[in-house]
Amino acid sequence: MRTISRCRSVSSRQLQWLEKTGADICGSWVKLFGTADRRVIKQPQTDEAIKMKMIFCAPLTHPAVMMKTEMVRQLRYDQNWEKCEDYDLWERATREGRRMINVPEILLLYRQHKAQISIAASSTQQQLTQKIRRRYLEYVFDLMKLEKEWIGDVLKFTRAFTIRTKHELCRFGFQRTAEK
């Protein structure tokens, strides 16, 4: 199995998980540093939980991701989604039947700074994220044979929820642990 990683160092733990589970994409937990925020981002572990979180936001921390080469060659990053091409790729991979996992260990130390895309291009990123959410919800509603007229209401809820929680669900995972 050939894999590529967007990280500078390939994680043998992620490679083990990819081989063990047969997943196409593998992320991990991440520890933040560089600001007063030194939380651990505990992304959901299973494919099902990851796809549930995708309703709200990107369920993988992009710099911590390793994925199969053939999948990346097939799906490619789409420059039309420049400020959130990772979320777009995860959503398209889901529609293609790709499996995702997160190793429940901290495998990346992630430095935060003011020039990050999530800060510098926040407005554009939020607009694109909402479009990806809509596309994903249309896919989920089709799978569940639900009336698509409700998608607008669900989008209002997810947007309000995300804004109200100041993106904590999406930026910091479902569970957080403070540094001791």
Side-chain angles (χ1 to χ4, degrees):
M1 169 188 4
R2 292 192 52 200
T3 59
I4 63 169
S5 174
R6 297 212 20 121
C7 302
R8 289 204 164 100
S9 63
V10 175
S11 167
S12 61
R13 289 291 294 144
Q14 284 176 294
L15 190 54
Q16 289 170 356
W17 274 68
L18 281 170
E19 290 172 348
K20 176 180 158 186
T21 65
D24 300 289
I25 303 170
C26 181
S28 73
W29 292 355
V30 176
K31 181 165 178 31
L32 304 175
F33 74 98
T35 65
D37 185 358
R38 296 182 180 277
R39 288 181 271 192
V40 173
I41 302 171
K42 290 186 173 183
Q43 295 286 23
Q45 182 178 334
T46 66
D47 185 61
E48 295 81 9
I50 288 168
K51 289 173 179 169
M52 180 69 74
K53 185 178 179 183
M54 197 167 343
I55 292 170
F56 298 96
C57 58
L60 300 153
T61 305
H62 196 214
V65 166
M66 178 184 290
M67 51 193 137
K68 290 184 178 177
T69 302
E70 60 84 17
M71 186 206 74
V72 176
R73 286 185 179 144
Q74 178 189 354
L75 296 178
R76 300 193 179 273
Y77 286 98
D78 185 342
Q79 294 303 312
N80 293 317
W81 301 94
E82 183 183 352
K83 304 298 183 216
C84 52
E85 64 244 339
D86 55 339
Y87 189 21
D88 168 67
L89 182 64
W90 315 149
E91 189 274 336
R92 289 185 294 116
T94 296
R95 286 188 284 128
E96 291 282 326
R98 302 302 183 139
R99 296 198 47 227
M100 297 176 252
I101 57 167
N102 278 303
V103 178
E105 299 172 26
I106 300 167
L107 299 179
L108 177 71
L109 299 177
Y110 186 71
R111 183 174 67 90
Q112 294 185 299
H113 54 86
K114 292 179 182 176
Q116 285 177 273
I117 288 176
S118 60
I119 296 169
S122 177
S123 177
T124 302
Q125 189 177 45
Q126 286 175 19
Q127 290 171 10
L128 291 171
T129 295
Q130 193 71 345
K131 289 179 181 180
I132 294 168
R133 269 190 208 121
R134 173 176 288 282
R135 192 174 69 199
Y136 184 62
L137 284 168
E138 288 173 359
Y139 167 75
V140 169
F141 273 50
D142 279 344
L143 284 177
M144 297 178 71
K145 298 180 181 7
L146 298 173
E147 296 294 325
K148 288 189 179 179
E149 66 190 50
W150 292 98
I151 290 175
D153 291 333
V154 174
L155 283 169
K156 286 177 192 172
F157 169 78
T158 59
R159 181 163 169 71
F161 181 79
T162 304
I163 290 169
R164 186 169 46 251
T165 60
K166 297 182 182 178
H167 301 280
E168 286 184 7
L169 172 69
C170 297
R171 291 179 59 215
F172 306 115
F174 287 122
Q175 299 174 345
R176 299 182 320 210
T177 48
E179 181 181 41
K180 293 183 180 181

